[in-house]
Structures are given as C-alpha cells and as structure tokens.
Amino acid sequence: MSDTIDVPGYLGRLGLPELAGHEPSVPALRALHRAHAERVPYECLEIHLDRPTTVCPVESARRIVNGRGGYCFHLNGAFSALLRALGYQVTRHVGGVQGNADAPAGATGNHLVLTVSGLPSAESPDGDWLVDLGMGDGLHGPLPLVEGTYTDGPFRYGLRRSEVEPGGWRFDHDPQGGFRGMDFRAGPARMADFRERHEELITSPESGFVRVAMAARRDATGADVLRGLTLTRIGADPSRIVLPDQVTYFHALADIFGIVLPGPDRAVLWPRVLESHERHQQAQAAA
C-alpha cells in the first residue's frame, strides 16, 4: 500500500496548516515533531476496546486525523508518511526499547525508529536527525544524530554508537523516564518488518499494552503518563495521583491527552481500565 495520506487533515490536527507545501528545514521539522508530541497521544486504548490495529501508516494517519493516537508503530509510521509527503528524506529503522537494566539491549524489534537526512546545520553537520514520537515520555523535539548529551526540557539524554548493534545507535533516557534506553539498527526497515511483533504486542497476555490501559503525552516541561488510574507528571512540578472514578478518568483522557471517547466506547473501556488498574496495583504490591 502507498503512503498516501490526508496531509491537510494531518497538519490541521497538529495545528500547523501553514506548513503545507513548505520547504523541508530544521525549524519546520522541530515544529512538526513538537506539535505531534504535544497533540497526538501515545496510547494503547484500541486494544482494550477490542479494535485490532495494523502497522499500516495510512491507517494510523487516518486514526490520528480522527483524533486518536497509538504507539510507536502507529505514531512513527504515520509521521514518516507525513514527512515524506512534505518532501523530507526519511528512513525507518528496527529498534528496541530497553525497559530496565535486566532487559536485553539491542534492536529487539519492539520499536520503530525514524531518521531524517539532508538537513545540515551547526548541530548536525551531516544533516542527520533522530526523529521519534513513539517513546511515550521520550523526545519532545528531534535530536541531531551526533554523539553527545542533550537537554530537552527537564530531561537529559545521551546519544552514542550502539554497543550491541554494529553501525547502529543508542539513545539513553533520563533516569526520570519510564525506560532505560533504546538501540536501533543503521539499515532501513519496511513496515512489514514490524507486523509479527505488533501482533504479539496487541494480543499477548505478557504485553504491557494488554496488561494495562495507558496513555502518555510529552510537552516542553515534562510528560504526563496515565497507567490504569494512576496519573503521573514527570518533570516540572512532578506529581502522582490515583483518579477516583470514571468521570475523572474520562475528563483526564480528554483534557490532558486529547482523547474524547463516545458513550459506547466509555461503557466498554471503563470496567477494563478498572480491572487492569487493580491487577497492576496487586502486581506492584507483590513485587
């Protein structure tokens, strides 16, 4: 399937209709990335609504235009299609998010990564950039694909050559974040490379997306993360609260994450969120 998407609709969702027909540039890439991080949530609610998704970028872009989000295969897949439609040179890569020190490092296939090339600047003389909207509380804006440390709002990141993926790269998350780091391979990937892992992530009882309904959103001063009924603010003015009831839960989804669900979806989702929250709390207490 081609990557033909509704570009005006997508840019409208990002609040950047004026970028239609613009020339690719670093400032425009930053604006697109930051708007996407702020306006399109990282979320897995379709799993809990019994609506299977695919890794097709066109399908993902359509869902985004209609007011929803997704996780890495959806968000980065759709964003790569948007960038290509706007004239950017985009490469998709197989990556792997390392949740903690006990998890294996390397491009395990549980993550889709993007790089953009052809945009040289003082920060990136070779013109290469790491672009990633699929890490939840990860990047707000793109990073130069240059080894070093970077400050992005309250977070401090590391970017270096991967120790386990020859020719690849390693992103080290801030200790405040929800995972340890991410490795990705140098070579290009196809969306088909992620189909099998995607099916596992949306169906396996061992998948974190299946176990807990969640949403996350990044902004300039930190990140909001909702797991079950636990709402956490990371970064400036950190906080952690448990939402007391379904009215508060759906208000938070709408006000913080921009997810407005119709009544029938709420009726399906609420008991599942409550159950997954209780399971998650029990597992944490037993750990």
Side-chain angles (χ1 to χ4, degrees):
M1 181 179 289
S2 71
D3 283 359
T4 302
I5 62 169
D6 176 5
V7 174
Y10 205 142
L11 291 175
R13 173 79 198 280
L14 301 184
L16 297 171
E18 70 278 9
L19 291 186
H22 80 285
E23 288 294 319
S25 68
V26 173
L29 179 64
R30 283 200 179 102
L32 289 162
H33 198 295
R34 290 170 178 171
H36 207 295
E38 293 173 8
R39 290 171 175 252
V40 181
Y42 178 97
E43 50 113 341
C44 66
L45 299 186
E46 294 295 81
I47 296 171
H48 299 268
L49 288 167
D50 292 329
R51 287 199 289 255
T53 58
T54 74
V55 297
C56 171
V58 176
E59 177 191 293
S60 298
R62 186 180 305 118
R63 195 161 50 249
I64 288 170
V65 170
N66 289 334
R68 291 293 302 280
Y71 65 94
C72 65
F73 299 149
H74 309 121
L75 301 180
N76 285 339
F79 194 55
S80 66
L82 175 66
L83 291 179
R84 287 178 177 177
L86 294 174
Y88 289 84
Q89 300 173 39
V90 184
T91 303
R92 298 164 178 153
H93 305 266
V94 174
V97 170
Q98 182 185 23
N100 54 58
D102 295 328
T108 57
N110 68 2
H111 190 60
L112 163 63
V113 185
L114 307 178
T115 57
V116 169
S117 58
L119 296 178
S121 71
E123 298 168 280
S124 178
D126 292 335
D128 298 326
W129 297 82
L130 172 62
V131 172
D132 200 320
L133 291 152
M135 294 192 290
D137 63 7
L139 299 183
H140 183 223
L143 292 184
L145 197 59
V146 177
E147 290 194 76
T149 56
Y150 297 91
T151 299
D152 186 359
F155 298 123
R156 187 172 177 83
Y157 304 134
L159 195 57
R160 55 190 170 90
R161 290 291 182 176
S162 174
E163 297 174 354
V164 293
E165 295 292 340
W169 288 83
R170 169 73 177 189
F171 168 84
D172 292 310
H173 201 357
D174 189 287
Q176 299 177 80
F179 61 95
R180 186 176 181 87
M182 181 271 294
D183 293 271
F184 67 95
R185 296 175 190 159
R190 304 166 302 156
M191 291 307 299
D193 297 331
F194 303 100
R195 286 177 187 157
E196 184 175 346
R197 196 59 187 271
H198 170 68
E199 289 301 315
E200 177 186 337
L201 289 172
I202 67 173
T203 60
S204 171
E206 301 303 314
S207 167
F209 294 142
V210 173
R211 291 199 306 268
V212 181
M214 63 85 61
R217 185 193 66 89
R218 183 66 217 275
D219 59 36
T221 62
D224 297 295
V225 180
L226 179 61
R227 295 184 181 278
L229 297 177
T230 302
L231 178 62
T232 304
R233 175 69 185 178
I234 306 169
D237 300 319
S239 62
R240 183 182 180 90
I241 61 171
V242 176
L243 304 179
D245 52 49
Q246 61 180 310
V247 172
T248 310
Y249 174 77
F250 288 114
H251 279 168
L253 276 186
D255 297 343
I256 299 173
F257 303 98
I259 302 173
V260 180
L261 297 175
D265 283 356
R266 295 185 181 201
V268 171
L269 184 61
W270 172 249
R272 297 180 180 185
V273 169
L274 186 59
E275 180 186 2
S276 73
H277 174 79
E278 292 171 348
R279 267 200 322 268
H280 185 59
Q281 294 294 96
Q282 291 168 1
Q284 285 189 321

